[in-house]
């Protein structure tokens, strides 16, 4: 159900998002030249970004999906658990985790530790958006699309109560 009264203002236009994904794909393709890249898409927010990035990569690509849930009360994010595991082993593979946004960093630090224990040949991290001001747990990001201020954003896969993922730009809901 679309909330008709919500007004969305554009923070990053579709054109700018896609130009940046072009650049990121070029950089990643160059860094992984001669290798095959295994992308891990973190559901659901990263789906749109993963597709757009994957289409532009010029190295051989495989894709797997993982879903994590954070159980917390109110504003404090609680324990993070695997809701859907990968289908395939990542042992010995060149793995790139694809995230939509890094906020506190808690999800990513859980994921990185979990992935490292599976002994990939290499493990890097790529995110479309980063809110560095919000960081609680330090994480090293290898590829960042945009650093943004501490505002709640939607679109390009990101949701507010499961809505707005399909917006083709990054927006802010006014009055929220
Ligand atoms: P972290 O563990 O705090 O880094 O949480 C990251 C997750 O919180 C992301 O993968 C998103 O699902 C969600 N999130 C954080 N900030 C936003 C936002 O501005 N819009 C939509 N989802 C967000
Ligand atoms: Mg996410």
């Amino acid at each position: 159900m679309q909330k008709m009264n919500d007004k969305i203002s554009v923070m990053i236009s579709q054109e700018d998002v896609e130009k940046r994904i072009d650049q990121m794909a070029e950089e990643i393709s160059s860094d992984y030249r001669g290798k095959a890249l295994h992308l891990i898409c973190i559901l659901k927010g990263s789906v749109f970004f993963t597709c757009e990035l994957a289409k532009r990569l010029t190295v051989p690509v495989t894709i797997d999906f993982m879903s994590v849930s954070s159980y917390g009360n109110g504003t404090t994010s609680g324990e993070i658990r695997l809701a859907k595991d990968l289908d395939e082993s990542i042992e010995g593979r060149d793995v790139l985790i694809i995230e939509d946004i890094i906020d506190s960093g808690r999800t990513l630090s859980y994921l990185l530790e979990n992935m490292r224990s599976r002994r990939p040949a290499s493990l890097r991290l790529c995110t479309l958006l980063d809110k560095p001001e919000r960081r609680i747990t330090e994480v090293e990001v290898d590829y960042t699309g945009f650093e943004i201020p501490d505002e709640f954003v939607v679109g390009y896969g990101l949701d507010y109560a499961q809505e707005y993922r399909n917006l083709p730009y990054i927006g802010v809901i006014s009055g929220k």
Side-chain angles (χ1 to χ4, degrees), residues 1-8 160 163-164 173-174 176:
M1 186 184 64
Q2 188 83 10
K3 297 186 188 71
M4 298 300 288
N5 295 328
D6 287 346
K7 280 219 179 82
I8 315 276
Y160 172 68
E163 280 189 63
Y164 307 115
I173 307 172
S174 321
K176 279 269 178 317

Side-chain angles (χ1 to χ4, degrees), residues 16-142:
D16 287 349
V17 174
E18 288 172 6
K19 254 194 246 158
R20 183 70 188 116
I21 299 176
D22 284 343
Q23 295 170 343
M24 296 174 86
E26 211 172 291
E27 187 186 349
I28 293 167
S29 297
S30 147
D31 289 354
Y32 287 88
R33 193 169 296 134
K35 293 181 177 173
L37 186 50
H38 191 54
L39 304 180
I40 296 183
C41 170
I42 310 302
L43 298 171
K44 303 173 187 170
S46 306
V47 167
F48 291 72
F49 176 42
T50 302
C51 293
E52 292 304 318
L53 184 72
K55 284 193 280 185
R56 292 163 169 84
L57 293 172
T58 57
V59 292
V61 162
T62 48
I63 307 179
D64 205 347
F65 299 88
M66 182 180 250
S67 176
V68 290
S69 311
S70 169
Y71 295 86
N73 50 339
T75 51
T76 55
S77 49
E79 189 192 341
I80 293 161
R81 284 197 232 143
L82 263 191
K84 184 221 167 288
D85 203 352
L86 299 172
D87 289 334
E88 292 172 43
S89 166
I90 58 167
E91 190 174 342
R93 303 172 90 162
D94 291 302
V95 170
L96 184 62
I97 298 178
I98 314 287
E99 257 292 23
D100 49 358
I101 188 164
I102 307 178
D103 190 34
S104 70
R106 288 173 46 91
T107 308
L108 251 307
S109 56
Y110 168 86
L111 278 174
L112 286 170
E113 196 181 316
N114 182 299
M115 294 293 115
R116 273 196 201 104
S117 69
R118 304 177 192 213
R119 308 165 66 80
S122 69
L123 183 64
R124 285 188 184 175
L125 180 57
C126 175
T127 186
L128 180 60
L129 304 173
D130 188 0
K131 288 191 216 172
E133 285 169 49
R134 300 259 307 167
R135 201 69 92 254
I136 291 170
T137 311
E138 236 7 88
V139 282
E140 217 175 287
V141 191
D142 300 284

